[in-house]
């Protein structure tokens, strides 16, 4: 019910002045270009320039899955697709909130603490700011909360179910890596430190599970790397592009 206070105005007035409008404009332009040129011709990469005659100048330095999702929504809904895109983001924000509640409840064993966690979360300024963002925020945060919840399920699961839950957890890590880089460091540290800090038994969380889960980040990065190579034409050009942008952002960026 509290979430509806945030969600309903955003859905009723999808062009309401709020959030990261610059990023939202880029996402809408990229979605239009997916609809205009198709996914194969764009190599499933976002193009943030409007009125292109041919796809050129793809953005190569961030995972593209969020823009791909909005591209499919744009094609399904037609040009008047803003409300659908907002509603889809709000739906994932609601799932994010629910799985955050379930994670806190499972972690603490208390419905009261879980309610407080959800209460603080839904009125967090960043959540209100990005609940209907067309960018990666709602998708990335949803997968983060789901990953935390499934991680706790893995610890408490019977031994025969652990391999299946581990596969699910690895898949969620992979999807997160294709949406955002924001949580790679935080979730990796959480997984590595959780066992020694909370003194989890070896059978509940074998150490080998940690590198298995974290390998999904590497696999996701390689997939994006190969996608960029598909667009640029060869691997050496991708290395040159990564080197160039790294030097610019480290040495020449305010």
């Amino acid at each position: 019910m509290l979430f509806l206070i945030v969600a309903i105005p955003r859905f009723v007035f999808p062009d309401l002045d709020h959030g990261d409008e610059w990023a939202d404009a880029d996402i809408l332009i990229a979605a239009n270009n997916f609809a205009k040129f198709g996914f194969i011709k764009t190599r499933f990469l976002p193009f943030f320039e409007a009125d292109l005659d041919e796809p050129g100048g793809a953005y190569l330095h961030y995972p593209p899955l969020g823009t791909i999702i909005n591209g499919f929504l744009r094609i399904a809904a037609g040009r008047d697709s803003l409300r659908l895109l907002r509603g889809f983001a709000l739906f994932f924000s609601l799932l994010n909130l629910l799985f955050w509640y379930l994670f806190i409840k499972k972690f603490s064993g208390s419905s009261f603490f879980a309610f407080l966690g959800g209460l603080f979360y839904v009125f967090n300024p960043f959540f209100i700011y990005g609940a209907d963002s067309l960018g990666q925020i709602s998708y990335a945060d949803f997968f983060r909360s789901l990953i935390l919840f499934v991680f706790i399920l893995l610890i408490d699961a019977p031994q025969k179910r652990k391999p299946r839950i581990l596969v699910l957890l690895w898949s969620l890590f992979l999807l997160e890596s294709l949406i955002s880089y924001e949580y790679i460091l935080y979730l990796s540290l959480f997984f590595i430190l959780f066992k020694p800090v909370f003194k989890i038994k070896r059978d509940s969380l074998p150490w080998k599970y940690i590198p298995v889960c974290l390998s999904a980040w590497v696999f996701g990065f390689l997939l994006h790397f190969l996608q960029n190579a598909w667009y640029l034409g060869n691997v050496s050009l991708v290395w040159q592009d990564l080197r160039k942008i790294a030097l610019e952002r480290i040495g020449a960026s305010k």
Side-chain angles (χ1 to χ4, degrees):
M1 294 299 293
L2 293 172
F3 174 77
L4 293 178
I5 297 173
V6 176
I8 289 177
R10 303 296 179 83
F11 187 76
V12 174
F13 304 102
D15 54 352
L16 193 66
D17 183 14
H18 72 280
D20 192 344
E21 295 179 332
W22 183 274
D24 285 353
D26 277 345
I27 296 299
L28 285 172
I29 292 170
N32 286 337
N33 284 327
F34 280 134
K36 183 177 182 179
F37 300 113
F39 289 102
I40 301 299
K41 197 170 183 179
T42 58
R43 305 296 192 259
F44 289 86
L45 289 166
F47 292 78
F48 296 141
E49 294 292 331
D51 302 321
L52 291 174
D53 295 324
E54 289 292 331
Y59 188 67
L60 305 175
H61 307 133
Y62 205 78
L65 184 55
T67 57
I68 293 171
I69 292 172
N70 285 311
F72 278 110
L73 293 174
R74 161 69 178 81
I75 292 170
R79 293 198 64 84
D80 189 22
S81 57
L82 182 58
R83 181 169 281 111
L84 175 63
L85 269 64
R86 294 282 191 215
F88 206 69
L90 286 167
F91 174 69
F92 274 91
S93 290
L94 175 60
L95 292 179
N96 167 30
L97 182 64
L98 291 175
F99 279 111
W100 177 257
Y101 168 85
L102 292 173
F103 162 64
I104 298 295
K105 182 178 180 180
K106 188 74 173 175
F107 178 73
S108 68
S110 169
S111 298
F112 175 72
F113 281 119
F115 173 75
L116 285 182
L119 183 67
F120 291 141
Y121 198 108
V122 75
F123 288 122
N124 181 294
F126 183 77
F127 180 80
I128 296 173
Y129 166 89
D132 66 336
S133 172
L134 304 187
Q136 85 284 356
I137 295 174
S138 58
Y139 305 130
D141 285 5
F142 157 72
F143 279 109
R144 179 214 56 212
S145 295
L146 181 56
I147 284 170
L148 292 172
F149 175 64
V150 173
F151 178 67
I152 298 297
L153 289 182
L154 175 67
I155 294 173
D156 293 339
Q159 289 299 322
K160 63 180 181 180
R161 292 187 57 201
K162 285 186 185 295
R164 285 181 290 177
I165 299 177
L166 182 63
V167 170
L168 172 60
L169 193 58
W170 189 93
S171 302
L172 294 174
F173 264 103
L174 176 63
L175 290 171
E176 180 73 288
S177 73
L178 296 174
I179 286 177
S180 171
Y181 293 140
E182 310 298 336
Y183 291 119
I184 290 178
L185 178 60
Y186 301 117
L187 284 174
S188 298
L189 286 174
F190 179 84
F191 274 55
I192 292 169
L193 296 175
F194 191 91
K195 184 180 176 75
V197 169
F198 293 100
K199 296 179 171 51
I200 304 300
K201 295 179 181 178
R202 177 182 295 181
D203 291 343
S204 298
L205 184 63
W207 272 116
K208 63 182 179 181
Y209 284 9
I210 306 302
V212 168
C213 288
L214 300 186
S215 69
W217 300 130
V218 179
F219 194 74
F221 180 81
L222 288 175
L223 278 178
H224 189 212
F225 185 91
L226 292 174
Q227 183 184 18
N228 289 351
W230 184 26
Y231 171 70
L232 293 176
N234 61 67
V235 169
S236 64
L237 290 177
V238 182
W239 282 120
Q240 292 175 27
D241 175 68
L242 288 175
R243 180 177 178 274
K244 177 176 178 291
I245 194 65
L247 291 175
E248 285 181 3
R249 292 185 176 182
I250 293 171
S253 171
K254 295 181 181 179

